[in-house]
Amino acid sequence: MGATEKLARFVIETPSEKISDEAIERATAGLMDAVGTALVANTNEIGRIITEFTEEVGGTPVSRVIGTNIKTSSPNAALANGTLGHADDYDDVGGFGHPAVILMPTVLALGEQLGKTGREILDAYVLGFDVGARLAQGIGGDHYERGWHSTVTLGTLASAAAASRLMGLTVDQTRHALGIAASHAAGMQANFGTMTKPLHPGNGARSGITAATLASKGYTANQNIIEAPLGYVAVFGDKQANINAMTHQLGDAQWQIVNPGFKIKEWPCCYGNHGAVPMLIDLVHKYEIQPEQVESVEFIGGMGASGFLNRPDTDTYFGGKFSLQFNIAAAVVDGAMSYDTFTDEKVNSPEIRDMMSRVILKDDIMTKDLPARIHSQHRDQTVVINMKDGRSVSDSIETATNTLVGHEIDVKFEANASKVLPSEKVERALSLLKDLKNVKDISEVLDAVTV
Amino acid sequence: MGATEKLARFVIETPSEKISDEAIERATAGLMDAVGTALVANTNEIGRIITEFTEEVGGTPVSRVIGTNIKTSSPNAALANGTLGHADDYDDVGGFGHPAVILMPTVLALGEQLGKTGREILDAYVLGFDVGARLAQGIGGDHYERGWHSTVTLGTLASAAAASRLMGLTVDQTRHALGIAASHAAGMQANFGTMTKPLHPGNGARSGITAATLASKGYTANQNIIEAPLGYVAVFGDKQANINAMTHQLGDAQWQIVNPGFKIKEWPCCYGNHGAVPMLIDLVHKYEIQPEQVESVEFIGGMGASGFLNRPDTDTYFGGKFSLQFNIAAAVVDGAMSYDTFTDEKVNSPEIRDMMSRVILKDDIMTKDLPARIHSQHRDQTVVINMKDGRSVSDSIETATNTLVGHEIDVKFEANASKVLPSEKVERALSLLKDLKNVKDISEVLDAVTV
């Protein structure tokens, strides 16, 4: 049996009872966090354009767009909700990139259209996560190194898997849905730092729902798309591809959403900054460092000087989310970071620009000349603040692990939701989302997160 | 100035007067042919499913779906019209694959929404063709060899270019549109022989319109997407990529739609069969060969034994379009080929299956062991009919050039249109489409090709 059939069987035939409480709890947290990031995105330019576009193209009103009064077709709602969810790069990270903004829009839009329960959409979420994370392991790190944005190139199939589960497709139809989805998988890193990055997961979720819907009507594709000659792995994989890894211990291994799991971001910027920022904030407070005392700030390792976060000249809040120079400068100057750190004004303020010019990015000397496949596994990060008086203070970590837990996740949701919803809706949404597994009809949740 | 900016300037700043009459004439023929293939596709299963899906998801009614009474948003109409146009693999071939089914749906859907003239949509068509064909030359033959379906991976940008021209975007907005489109470019050959192949150009046209529409609202992307590090060429190109070729003599060279131009298919099957089929039909008539006299039929060269047309076991009419064994058997048994050759019944008939089992595919001995980049440039094709009485007859060509010209194009259109439209509409559509450059509002054409 090929990988495509194995994954399709797993998605369709796994009984709900087999999905652990811990997996359901993690899916609940990831989904809720992404609904919050989608809500707050209605306050920014990306949110304005994507909702205006969604309203303009219209669609049969069966699924709602978060934070708005728009009701449209499920593919269009998924496009909008995925784009909103990722608009600030504030959503979670792990598995196959940014899993929640692919899976949340898929299961919410289709769940509302089909009148599904909270538990049904969480099951689909967990299974879709597993498919995406397994594809990520099997496709190899050189997939990302070629320039693909894995969130969507892998996530489009994860969305199709989740949609197939929710629609109750047969195994055969699910294989067709995965085949259709594979021909929609697209999105490149060269668009990072522009509004097109958040469009990627929106487009992936739209494509996954479209693929499952067409398959449900008898539309066909290559039923072995993952392993086929010139198929998904052949086209998207390079030297590191390993098809067997995609189905290793399928159904017996721990749920991917639990282990390796995902991290919930504390700040609305690329996770590549989430190592340097907390270290710098700690140093600034510990040594009571004032901006005017700083001669230079060095950052060594991570994706450092040779990665896409080397953006010394960015002049927009959105580019700032992908600039190590800006994130480092903001952490040192403000000794703090929040949603409001990312504004055009802040990015262009004289104090920040002055500090950005003092930031020095260095690649890790241990690994910089090694092949990318080794380099990319090595995540050591070091920050050094060099003072004008000759002192230096520094900190290091082996890999960034910053994540919100427990009550912090609720606080983040409330802060995001409060920027768009009245307080009674915020509390209603929070209580429904935290107890999503017991919600009888997902449309109750949409009532609470729309205006 | 980078390739992206050069192409955007060319698309936006070329005055209509500079576009030659011959280019406009070729665009008219290609567009008309694709409208015809979209019409007849409403009689098949792919047509049934894609129009049912389009009706179900709905959309603001501004653009119509060919051969139906559906009016929906321009992206949705483009998805349906592109899929219909390519549903039978009966549309034209050249430039970047199947150009008409990317460009026709883009300019018709957007042209109707915006109330454009026939000449305006033909200008956009010619410019979009040029962009697609130039990307094809620059990306290199190994793009296709990796497994990409160039019709859509290149065509999505051709569509965005045509859409940007029609919408009257600025050069800057067009660069953003190309960047957004690049993150939608997808579609793999592993889905050839399934219903997903025709979905590719539909999806490409939908994406091109979406990209230009978002860019018109201020949505951003990498403005140098073609040449950017990890951008379009880096991600989609392999060893043969040549960015300079994409803009060589831009604006001074002959129009790509004229030279190398495109071919209008005589039969509804992959063009890879259009070398063997006419040679075999000629031989059968010249030597009055009856099926029962045939011992075996050999085919040597072309994409032969090692290509995706080696499908001895296909059992659907759609798979038959991509099976050299089936096309060869049908040509020899029937001594003719038509739209009605491609049915499940014919593919599975005992006489055809018996002849299919006698078909022998061989790779060209001169080139089979050479690298693919050389192999794929060599298009010699030979057919040999070996008779039971020991005689053999054969024919050879250097490359397939079969194409319809002049009145034959009208006859094909009338035959296709007549399967869906009443005769007065067929004649009205034919006369409007042949004189498209003088049509005042493209909606007149849509009146004639919808029910």
Side-chain angles (χ1 to χ4, degrees), chain A residues 266-282:
Chain A
E266 185 167 355
W267 303 293
C269 55
C270 178
Y271 198 75
N273 302 295
H274 281 61
V277 166
M279 288 195 284
L280 289 167
I281 291 174
D282 282 354

Side-chain angles (χ1 to χ4, degrees), chain A residues 355-398:
Chain A
M355 188 62 77
M356 283 174 72
S357 72
R358 298 165 194 269
V359 173
I360 301 159
L361 303 189
K362 294 179 177 173
D363 286 317
D364 189 329
I365 200 161
M366 256 179 64
T367 59
K368 77 182 176 66
D369 294 327
L370 293 175
R373 67 181 182 278
I374 296 167
H375 184 87
S376 67
Q377 296 303 311
H378 184 83
R379 304 285 177 86
D380 277 22
Q381 299 183 29
T382 297
V383 290
V384 184
I385 304 180
N386 299 308
M387 315 285 275
K388 287 179 180 160
D389 64 9
R391 280 185 304 153
S392 279
V393 297
S394 75
D395 200 357
S396 291
I397 49 167
E398 272 185 39

Side-chain angles (χ1 to χ4, degrees), chain B residues 212-253:
Chain B
T213 306
L214 287 171
S216 78
K217 296 177 183 298
Y219 214 80
T220 62
N222 188 319
Q223 287 200 287
N224 302 305
I225 196 68
I226 292 172
E227 67 273 24
L230 299 185
Y232 185 76
V233 169
V235 162
F236 279 112
D238 281 313
K239 289 181 189 161
Q240 296 171 31
N242 176 352
I243 297 185
N244 289 337
M246 293 179 174
T247 55
H248 183 62
Q249 296 192 307
L250 190 63
D252 294 322

